[in-house]
Short mmCIF file of all heavy atoms in Angstrom, two decimals:
data_model
loop_
_atom_site.label_atom_id
_atom_site.label_comp_id
_atom_site.label_asym_id
_atom_site.label_seq_id
_atom_site.Cartn_x
_atom_site.Cartn_y
_atom_site.Cartn_z
N GLY C 215 91.22 115.18 111.14
CA GLY C 215 90.47 114.62 112.29
C GLY C 215 89.70 113.37 111.91
O GLY C 215 89.63 112.41 112.64
N GLU C 216 89.09 113.40 110.71
CA GLU C 216 88.27 112.23 110.23
C GLU C 216 89.22 111.09 109.90
O GLU C 216 88.85 109.91 110.16
CB GLU C 216 87.47 112.65 109.02
CG GLU C 216 86.37 113.58 109.35
CD GLU C 216 85.56 114.03 108.13
OE1 GLU C 216 86.23 114.12 107.04
OE2 GLU C 216 84.39 114.24 108.24
N ARG C 217 90.41 111.34 109.34
CA ARG C 217 91.35 110.28 109.05
C ARG C 217 91.75 109.53 110.30
O ARG C 217 91.82 108.29 110.26
CB ARG C 217 92.60 110.89 108.33
CG ARG C 217 93.66 109.80 108.07
CD ARG C 217 94.80 110.36 107.25
NE ARG C 217 95.76 109.38 107.04
CZ ARG C 217 96.79 109.43 106.14
NH1 ARG C 217 96.87 110.48 105.34
NH2 ARG C 217 97.66 108.50 105.98
N GLU C 218 91.96 110.24 111.43
CA GLU C 218 92.34 109.62 112.66
C GLU C 218 91.21 108.77 113.24
O GLU C 218 91.42 107.92 114.06
CB GLU C 218 92.78 110.69 113.63
CG GLU C 218 94.06 111.35 113.26
CD GLU C 218 94.43 112.48 114.19
OE1 GLU C 218 93.63 112.77 115.11
OE2 GLU C 218 95.52 113.01 114.05
N ARG C 219 89.99 108.97 112.77
CA ARG C 219 88.86 108.20 113.24
C ARG C 219 88.67 106.91 112.47
O ARG C 219 87.90 106.02 112.86
CB ARG C 219 87.55 109.02 113.13
CG ARG C 219 87.38 110.14 114.15
CD ARG C 219 86.26 111.07 113.80
NE ARG C 219 85.03 110.32 113.46
CZ ARG C 219 84.04 110.81 112.66
NH1 ARG C 219 84.17 111.97 112.09
NH2 ARG C 219 82.95 110.11 112.44
N THR C 220 89.40 106.74 111.38
CA THR C 220 89.27 105.55 110.60
C THR C 220 90.17 104.41 111.21
O THR C 220 91.00 104.69 112.01
CB THR C 220 89.73 105.77 109.15
OG1 THR C 220 91.13 105.93 109.08
CG2 THR C 220 89.03 106.92 108.56
N ALA C 221 89.91 103.21 110.73
CA ALA C 221 90.67 102.05 111.20
C ALA C 221 91.95 101.85 110.40
O ALA C 221 92.65 100.85 110.60
CB ALA C 221 89.84 100.78 111.13
N TYR C 222 92.27 102.79 109.49
CA TYR C 222 93.47 102.62 108.66
C TYR C 222 94.71 102.67 109.55
O TYR C 222 94.89 103.58 110.33
CB TYR C 222 93.55 103.74 107.61
CG TYR C 222 94.48 103.42 106.47
CD1 TYR C 222 94.01 102.74 105.35
CD2 TYR C 222 95.84 103.72 106.54
CE1 TYR C 222 94.86 102.43 104.27
CE2 TYR C 222 96.68 103.45 105.49
CZ TYR C 222 96.22 102.77 104.37
OH TYR C 222 97.06 102.46 103.34
N PRO C 223 95.51 101.60 109.50
CA PRO C 223 96.66 101.45 110.46
C PRO C 223 97.79 102.43 110.18
O PRO C 223 98.04 102.76 109.00
CB PRO C 223 97.08 100.00 110.28
CG PRO C 223 96.67 99.67 108.88
CD PRO C 223 95.43 100.43 108.59
N HIS C 224 98.43 102.89 111.22
CA HIS C 224 99.55 103.79 111.15
C HIS C 224 100.64 103.33 112.09
O HIS C 224 100.36 102.65 113.03
CB HIS C 224 99.18 105.22 111.54
CG HIS C 224 98.05 105.80 110.74
ND1 HIS C 224 98.23 106.41 109.53
CD2 HIS C 224 96.73 105.88 110.95
CE1 HIS C 224 97.07 106.85 109.03
NE2 HIS C 224 96.11 106.53 109.94
N LEU C 225 101.86 103.71 111.78
CA LEU C 225 102.97 103.50 112.70
C LEU C 225 103.50 104.83 113.10
O LEU C 225 104.20 105.51 112.34
CB LEU C 225 104.11 102.62 112.02
CG LEU C 225 105.34 102.44 112.86
CD1 LEU C 225 104.99 101.81 114.21
CD2 LEU C 225 106.31 101.51 112.09
N TRP C 226 103.18 105.26 114.30
CA TRP C 226 103.53 106.56 114.81
C TRP C 226 104.93 106.56 115.35
O TRP C 226 105.41 105.56 115.87
CB TRP C 226 102.56 107.03 115.87
CG TRP C 226 101.11 107.02 115.42
CD1 TRP C 226 100.14 106.21 115.92
CD2 TRP C 226 100.51 107.91 114.48
NE1 TRP C 226 98.93 106.48 115.29
CE2 TRP C 226 99.13 107.51 114.45
CE3 TRP C 226 100.95 108.94 113.72
CZ2 TRP C 226 98.22 108.14 113.56
CZ3 TRP C 226 100.02 109.56 112.88
CH2 TRP C 226 98.68 109.15 112.82
N ARG C 227 105.61 107.66 115.23
CA ARG C 227 106.99 107.84 115.73
C ARG C 227 107.03 107.62 117.29
O ARG C 227 108.04 107.18 117.81
CB ARG C 227 107.55 109.18 115.37
CG ARG C 227 108.03 109.28 113.90
CD ARG C 227 109.33 108.57 113.76
NE ARG C 227 109.80 108.58 112.39
CZ ARG C 227 110.93 107.96 111.96
NH1 ARG C 227 111.61 107.26 112.85
NH2 ARG C 227 111.28 108.01 110.70
N ASP C 228 105.94 108.08 117.93
CA ASP C 228 105.90 107.98 119.39
C ASP C 228 105.20 106.71 119.90
O ASP C 228 104.56 106.69 120.91
CB ASP C 228 105.21 109.24 119.96
CG ASP C 228 103.82 109.42 119.47
OD1 ASP C 228 103.43 108.66 118.50
OD2 ASP C 228 103.06 110.24 119.99
N ILE C 229 105.29 105.62 119.11
CA ILE C 229 104.68 104.38 119.51
C ILE C 229 105.16 103.98 120.88
O ILE C 229 106.33 104.13 121.26
CB ILE C 229 105.04 103.27 118.48
CG1 ILE C 229 104.29 101.97 118.78
CG2 ILE C 229 106.54 103.04 118.34
CD1 ILE C 229 104.41 100.92 117.68
N THR C 230 104.29 103.46 121.74
CA THR C 230 104.60 103.13 123.09
C THR C 230 105.31 101.78 123.19
O THR C 230 105.23 100.92 122.26
CB THR C 230 103.37 103.12 123.97
OG1 THR C 230 102.49 102.03 123.54
CG2 THR C 230 102.56 104.40 123.93
N GLU C 231 105.96 101.53 124.29
CA GLU C 231 106.59 100.26 124.54
C GLU C 231 105.62 99.11 124.50
O GLU C 231 105.81 98.04 123.89
CB GLU C 231 107.33 100.24 125.90
CG GLU C 231 107.97 98.91 126.23
CD GLU C 231 108.74 98.96 127.52
OE1 GLU C 231 109.26 100.04 127.85
OE2 GLU C 231 108.82 97.92 128.17
N GLN C 232 104.43 99.34 125.09
CA GLN C 232 103.41 98.28 125.09
C GLN C 232 102.96 97.96 123.66
O GLN C 232 102.72 96.80 123.32
CB GLN C 232 102.24 98.74 125.95
CG GLN C 232 101.07 97.74 126.01
CD GLN C 232 99.90 98.22 126.87
OE1 GLN C 232 99.90 99.41 127.39
NE2 GLN C 232 98.88 97.42 126.98
N GLU C 233 102.79 99.01 122.86
CA GLU C 233 102.36 98.80 121.49
C GLU C 233 103.46 98.10 120.68
O GLU C 233 103.12 97.21 119.85
CB GLU C 233 102.03 100.20 120.78
CG GLU C 233 101.54 100.05 119.42
CD GLU C 233 100.04 99.70 119.35
OE1 GLU C 233 99.40 99.51 120.41
OE2 GLU C 233 99.51 99.72 118.22
N VAL C 234 104.70 98.38 120.92
CA VAL C 234 105.77 97.71 120.23
C VAL C 234 105.77 96.20 120.48
O VAL C 234 105.84 95.39 119.60
CB VAL C 234 107.18 98.32 120.60
CG1 VAL C 234 108.29 97.47 120.02
CG2 VAL C 234 107.30 99.74 120.10
N ILE C 235 105.60 95.91 121.76
CA ILE C 235 105.54 94.48 122.18
C ILE C 235 104.30 93.79 121.57
O ILE C 235 104.38 92.67 121.08
CB ILE C 235 105.58 94.37 123.69
CG1 ILE C 235 106.89 94.86 124.26
CG2 ILE C 235 105.31 92.97 124.13
CD1 ILE C 235 106.90 95.01 125.77
N SER C 236 103.17 94.49 121.62
CA SER C 236 101.95 93.93 121.13
C SER C 236 101.97 93.65 119.64
O SER C 236 101.55 92.60 119.14
CB SER C 236 100.77 94.87 121.48
OG SER C 236 99.57 94.41 120.83
N ARG C 237 102.59 94.58 118.88
CA ARG C 237 102.58 94.48 117.42
C ARG C 237 103.77 93.74 116.88
O ARG C 237 103.71 93.13 115.76
CB ARG C 237 102.56 95.91 116.83
CG ARG C 237 101.31 96.73 117.14
CD ARG C 237 100.19 96.19 116.36
NE ARG C 237 99.04 97.08 116.44
CZ ARG C 237 97.85 96.86 115.85
NH1 ARG C 237 97.63 95.68 115.27
NH2 ARG C 237 96.87 97.74 115.98
N TYR C 238 104.93 93.78 117.51
CA TYR C 238 106.14 93.39 116.87
C TYR C 238 106.87 92.20 117.56
O TYR C 238 108.03 91.90 117.26
CB TYR C 238 107.12 94.55 116.76
CG TYR C 238 106.56 95.54 115.78
CD1 TYR C 238 105.74 96.58 116.18
CD2 TYR C 238 106.84 95.42 114.41
CE1 TYR C 238 105.14 97.50 115.26
CE2 TYR C 238 106.28 96.30 113.48
CZ TYR C 238 105.48 97.32 113.91
OH TYR C 238 104.90 98.20 113.00
N THR C 239 106.15 91.43 118.38
CA THR C 239 106.72 90.24 118.95
C THR C 239 106.53 89.10 117.93
O THR C 239 105.40 88.81 117.51
CB THR C 239 105.98 89.86 120.29
OG1 THR C 239 106.24 90.88 121.20
CG2 THR C 239 106.48 88.53 120.80
N LEU C 240 107.63 88.43 117.58
CA LEU C 240 107.59 87.34 116.67
C LEU C 240 107.03 86.06 117.44
O LEU C 240 107.57 85.77 118.52
CB LEU C 240 108.99 87.02 116.13
CG LEU C 240 109.59 88.03 115.17
CD1 LEU C 240 111.10 87.95 115.16
CD2 LEU C 240 109.06 87.79 113.77
N SER C 241 106.11 85.44 116.82
CA SER C 241 105.63 84.16 117.42
C SER C 241 106.70 83.09 117.22
O SER C 241 107.63 83.27 116.40
CB SER C 241 104.31 83.71 116.76
OG SER C 241 104.55 83.36 115.38
N GLU C 242 106.57 81.98 117.87
CA GLU C 242 107.51 80.88 117.76
C GLU C 242 107.58 80.42 116.29
O GLU C 242 108.62 80.14 115.76
CB GLU C 242 107.14 79.76 118.66
CG GLU C 242 108.10 78.60 118.67
CD GLU C 242 107.75 77.47 119.63
OE1 GLU C 242 106.86 77.74 120.48
OE2 GLU C 242 108.35 76.41 119.62
N GLU C 243 106.41 80.28 115.64
CA GLU C 243 106.32 79.86 114.27
C GLU C 243 106.97 80.87 113.34
O GLU C 243 107.74 80.49 112.41
CB GLU C 243 104.88 79.71 113.86
CG GLU C 243 104.70 79.22 112.42
CD GLU C 243 103.21 79.15 112.02
OE1 GLU C 243 102.38 78.92 112.87
OE2 GLU C 243 102.94 79.35 110.81
N GLU C 244 106.74 82.18 113.58
CA GLU C 244 107.37 83.19 112.76
C GLU C 244 108.86 83.19 112.90
O GLU C 244 109.60 83.36 111.94
CB GLU C 244 106.80 84.57 113.11
CG GLU C 244 105.32 84.75 112.71
CD GLU C 244 104.77 86.03 113.29
OE1 GLU C 244 105.26 86.57 114.29
OE2 GLU C 244 103.64 86.45 112.77
N LEU C 245 109.32 83.04 114.13
CA LEU C 245 110.76 83.02 114.37
C LEU C 245 111.46 81.85 113.65
O LEU C 245 112.52 82.07 112.99
CB LEU C 245 111.04 82.93 115.90
CG LEU C 245 112.45 83.11 116.34
CD1 LEU C 245 113.01 84.44 115.86
CD2 LEU C 245 112.58 82.96 117.87
N LYS C 246 110.82 80.72 113.65
CA LYS C 246 111.39 79.57 112.94
C LYS C 246 111.43 79.82 111.45
O LYS C 246 112.35 79.47 110.73
CB LYS C 246 110.61 78.29 113.28
CG LYS C 246 110.83 77.78 114.71
CD LYS C 246 109.97 76.55 114.94
CE LYS C 246 110.19 75.99 116.32
NZ LYS C 246 109.31 74.79 116.61
N TRP C 247 110.32 80.44 110.97
CA TRP C 247 110.22 80.73 109.50
C TRP C 247 111.29 81.68 109.12
O TRP C 247 111.96 81.49 108.06
CB TRP C 247 108.86 81.28 109.21
CG TRP C 247 108.61 81.67 107.79
CD1 TRP C 247 108.40 80.80 106.76
CD2 TRP C 247 108.57 83.00 107.20
NE1 TRP C 247 108.23 81.51 105.56
CE2 TRP C 247 108.32 82.79 105.81
CE3 TRP C 247 108.68 84.28 107.75
CZ2 TRP C 247 108.21 83.92 104.96
CZ3 TRP C 247 108.59 85.32 106.89
CH2 TRP C 247 108.37 85.19 105.51
N VAL C 248 111.53 82.71 109.88
CA VAL C 248 112.54 83.69 109.54
C VAL C 248 113.97 83.06 109.62
O VAL C 248 114.83 83.34 108.74
CB VAL C 248 112.52 84.89 110.53
CG1 VAL C 248 113.70 85.83 110.32
CG2 VAL C 248 111.19 85.69 110.27
N GLN C 249 114.20 82.22 110.59
CA GLN C 249 115.52 81.64 110.78
C GLN C 249 115.86 80.63 109.66
O GLN C 249 117.03 80.27 109.55
CB GLN C 249 115.58 80.94 112.19
CG GLN C 249 115.64 81.96 113.28
CD GLN C 249 115.56 81.34 114.63
OE1 GLN C 249 115.05 80.20 114.83
NE2 GLN C 249 116.06 82.04 115.65
N HIS C 250 114.83 80.18 108.90
CA HIS C 250 115.14 79.30 107.78
C HIS C 250 115.49 80.09 106.51
O HIS C 250 115.89 79.48 105.53
CB HIS C 250 113.92 78.41 107.47
CG HIS C 250 113.81 77.20 108.34
ND1 HIS C 250 113.20 77.16 109.55
CD2 HIS C 250 114.31 75.94 108.17
CE1 HIS C 250 113.25 75.99 110.08
NE2 HIS C 250 113.95 75.20 109.28
N TYR C 251 115.38 81.38 106.61
CA TYR C 251 115.69 82.28 105.49
C TYR C 251 117.22 82.46 105.43
O TYR C 251 117.86 82.75 106.41
CB TYR C 251 114.99 83.63 105.65
CG TYR C 251 115.24 84.62 104.56
CD1 TYR C 251 114.84 84.36 103.22
CD2 TYR C 251 115.88 85.81 104.84
CE1 TYR C 251 115.09 85.27 102.25
CE2 TYR C 251 116.06 86.81 103.84
CZ TYR C 251 115.70 86.50 102.56
OH TYR C 251 115.89 87.40 101.54
N ARG C 252 117.80 82.26 104.22
CA ARG C 252 119.24 82.30 104.08
C ARG C 252 119.80 83.74 103.85
O ARG C 252 121.01 83.89 103.81
CB ARG C 252 119.67 81.36 102.92
CG ARG C 252 119.38 79.91 103.20
CD ARG C 252 119.95 79.02 102.10
NE ARG C 252 119.75 77.67 102.33
CZ ARG C 252 120.14 76.64 101.55
NH1 ARG C 252 120.82 76.98 100.43
NH2 ARG C 252 119.94 75.40 101.87
N GLY C 253 118.88 84.69 103.63
CA GLY C 253 119.37 86.07 103.43
C GLY C 253 119.39 86.85 104.74
O GLY C 253 119.65 86.33 105.83
N ASN C 254 119.16 88.17 104.63
CA ASN C 254 119.15 89.06 105.79
C ASN C 254 117.87 88.83 106.59
O ASN C 254 116.78 89.31 106.23
CB ASN C 254 119.27 90.48 105.26
CG ASN C 254 119.50 91.48 106.41
OD1 ASN C 254 118.69 91.56 107.33
ND2 ASN C 254 120.59 92.20 106.31
#
């Protein structure tokens, strides 16, 4: 219970759609940076 009260970040299996969008949307700059990568 105390661990859940901390700010230590977690990625829960039941993450919501809103949370996915909030956390995992690539910015325009990030997208360009990734697309310059020659690997996966």
Side-chain angles (χ1 to χ4, degrees):
E216 291 178 326
R217 176 172 179 167
E218 293 176 354
R219 287 167 50 203
T220 72
Y222 198 89
H224 302 277
L225 176 53
W226 305 111
R227 282 285 178 182
D228 58 350
I229 185 172
T230 65
E231 177 176 329
Q232 181 181 1
E233 184 80 356
V234 172
I235 293 170
S236 174
R237 295 289 191 184
Y238 292 90
T239 296
L240 289 158
S241 69
E242 183 177 350
E243 179 185 333
E244 290 171 341
L245 189 57
K246 288 180 180 178
W247 179 73
V248 169
Q249 289 173 337
H250 276 90
Y251 180 62
R252 294 186 178 182
N254 190 301

